[in-house]
Amino acid sequence: MVTLNPYINFQGQAREAMSFYQSVLGGDLTVTTYAEGGMGGDHQEAADLVMHAMLTTPGGLVLMGADTPEGMPYSPGDNVGVSLSGGPEDEEELRGVYERLCDGARTTLPLERAPWGDHFGMVTDRYGIGWMVNIAGGAA
């Protein structure tokens, strides 16, 4: 089975951000630095940065991230958005995720009944990443 996983780039905050997402979504987080990946070399400032991080949640979601070393293009928040969606049976979990994401964030759209009948909300988290949460159907 082919899977599509969001991959978020950071600038020196990947470990902190991925740990935050682990606190929001739960699951297991693995982190490899550039030094551990054999890519520290002459660039000691990049050695401790995150070369690759992967968060795997109990529900099977996978979120990946890395730090962008000096000299590589970086445009925070402009090139990625994360969408989480589920049905009425996922409402409690999705509301909890939305509320935890709001810590230190800018709420773009409160999680409430949308014109199409679902509950929908948008938040830009403390790292500049846009999140959309959609709960299909459910109670009025």
Side-chain angles (χ1 to χ4, degrees), residues 7-30:
Y7 204 109
I8 305 172
N9 290 306
F10 300 93
Q11 200 163 40
Q13 295 177 307
R15 184 180 306 273
E16 176 187 331
M18 294 300 290
S19 293
F20 171 69
Y21 298 141
Q22 182 183 30
S23 75
V24 169
L25 299 168
D28 296 317
L29 177 62
T30 58

Side-chain angles (χ1 to χ4, degrees), residues 83-88 90-92 94-95 98 109-122 132-140:
S83 175
L84 295 172
S85 57
D90 304 308
E91 182 170 2
E92 183 178 340
L94 288 169
R95 283 188 181 281
Y98 181 86
L109 186 65
L111 182 59
E112 56 192 22
R113 176 79 61 194
W116 59 89
D118 295 350
H119 282 84
F120 181 78
M122 296 172 62
M132 296 173 282
V133 174
N134 190 85
I135 306 165

